[in-house]
Amino acid sequence: MLVTNTPTASAADDHGHVLVVDDDPQIRVLVARFLQRHGYKVTGAPDGRVMLDVLRQADIDLIILDLMLPGRSGFDLCGDVRATSQVPIVMLTARSEESDRVIGLEAGADDYVTKPFSPRELLARVRAVLRRSRNMRRAGDGRASEFVVFDGWRMDLRRRELVSPSGTLVDLSTGEFDLMVAFIEHANRVLSREALMQFAKTRNSDPFDRAIDVQISRLRRKLEADANGGQLIKTIRGAGYMFTPAVQTREGQPA
């Protein structure tokens, strides 16, 4: 059963359906009311069990997920979601240590906000992550059936699907897809971390933030798991990263 802690916004003002997962009812109500005032439909969940029930029954556009939850942690739940869905996730955490933020990003989160937080900052993060996700879908729809091939891999830019040389469909988070497109469009060129943050439209990070490195590490592991031992994303010491395969762009459906 869906659990909505506050009244939802009217359909006319609906900018998206946000699922707020936090065991603190005051935070759920605070976040829900603030987002609703800005046109979002909001559903609340106090734990992972209810969260997964909501995801099975409703079309959710974005999840705000607390790290410290009763039962399974936000880290674990983020991994569960990423196993079947690419819905954007903003991690909400009372922990400020870099290692915790890195673990959240490695689990598949698209962004994070540290408690105590400003509701306006959270709103800005939600808007930015949703905008990136929707822009990618629109861009993909406009690409008819364009896809690219490299080193035995196939990537459908319209469907946002990546297929390995062995035929396995590889799940990509929003951030990983952004990076993949950036690498493909600038193959065999050295890209600095700052350039990748710009091309991939990642969160408004400090240049020394490890978020981009975490996303690249996740993407690299997924690519190299089925790359016959080859390294597709090469680290260029002191300069950045390079996507090494030759890339071909084609129209129509892949064979």
Side-chain angles (χ1 to χ4, degrees):
M1 181 178 70
L2 297 184
V3 176
T4 303
N5 294 296
T6 57
T8 58
S10 66
D13 295 331
D14 184 14
H15 296 328
H17 191 173
V18 177
L19 173 59
V20 180
V21 186
D22 198 301
D23 61 329
D24 187 332
Q26 292 183 332
I27 290 181
R28 291 201 305 273
V29 170
L30 170 68
V31 172
R33 287 178 176 171
F34 190 81
L35 292 179
Q36 287 166 349
R37 287 203 300 268
H38 290 83
Y40 293 89
K41 178 179 179 180
V42 182
T43 296
D47 54 37
R49 181 187 61 79
V50 178
M51 170 189 128
L52 295 175
D53 286 343
V54 172
L55 289 174
R56 282 190 288 267
Q57 298 179 47
D59 291 328
I60 298 298
D61 298 296
L62 181 140
I63 302 171
I64 297 174
L65 178 60
D66 186 32
L67 173 63
M68 303 299 291
L69 292 169
R72 306 194 69 210
S73 72
F75 293 140
D76 294 333
L77 293 170
C78 186
D80 289 347
V81 172
R82 281 291 169 262
T84 59
S85 171
Q86 298 309 314
V87 59
I89 297 174
V90 175
M91 194 75 81
L92 192 61
T93 173
R95 296 184 176 183
S96 58
E97 291 85 353
E98 182 185 53
S99 60
D100 292 313
R101 299 198 302 269
V102 167
I103 293 172
L105 291 167
E106 287 181 336
D110 295 281
D111 205 343
Y112 55 84
V113 175
T114 303
K115 298 177 182 176
F117 59 90
S118 160
R120 289 187 177 276
E121 179 190 4
L122 180 60
L123 175 64
R125 303 283 190 181
V126 167
R127 284 174 169 168
V129 172
L130 280 173
R131 184 167 57 247
R132 284 171 49 206
S133 178
R134 289 165 176 169
N135 284 346
M136 283 194 305
R137 287 199 297 269
R138 284 195 293 267
D141 291 341
R143 284 183 173 121
S145 301
E146 181 180 316
F147 67 97
V148 297
V149 295
F150 57 89
D151 203 35
W153 292 75
R154 302 193 309 271
M155 185 167 178
D156 189 317
L157 300 177
R158 177 176 60 85
R159 296 182 178 179
R160 301 177 65 240
E161 292 180 346
L162 178 64
V163 179
S164 75
S166 64
T168 302
L169 183 65
V170 178
D171 288 327
L172 296 177
S173 69
T174 301
E176 291 162 0
F177 182 83
D178 284 343
L179 278 174
M180 196 70 236
V181 172
F183 277 127
I184 285 171
E185 292 179 345
H186 303 86
N188 292 293
R189 289 175 51 188
V190 177
L191 297 177
S192 67
R193 298 167 77 254
E194 292 79 4
L196 282 168
M197 284 190 284
Q198 178 181 355
F199 289 137
K201 301 179 180 65
T202 60
R203 65 186 298 274
N204 187 20
S205 304
D206 184 279
F208 298 100
D209 195 304
R210 290 185 59 197
I212 191 73
D213 299 308
V214 171
Q215 296 280 19
I216 291 171
S217 178
R218 282 173 50 83
L219 183 58
R220 177 183 272 159
R221 286 198 298 269
K222 291 181 179 183
L223 291 172
E224 294 177 3
D226 201 343
N228 298 318
Q231 187 178 59
L232 303 185
I233 301 175
K234 184 178 180 181
T235 300
I236 309 300
R237 188 176 298 276
Y241 300 92
M242 178 188 292
F243 189 65
T244 60
V247 176
Q248 293 180 309
T249 302
R250 301 176 182 174
E251 296 292 335
Q253 293 295 329

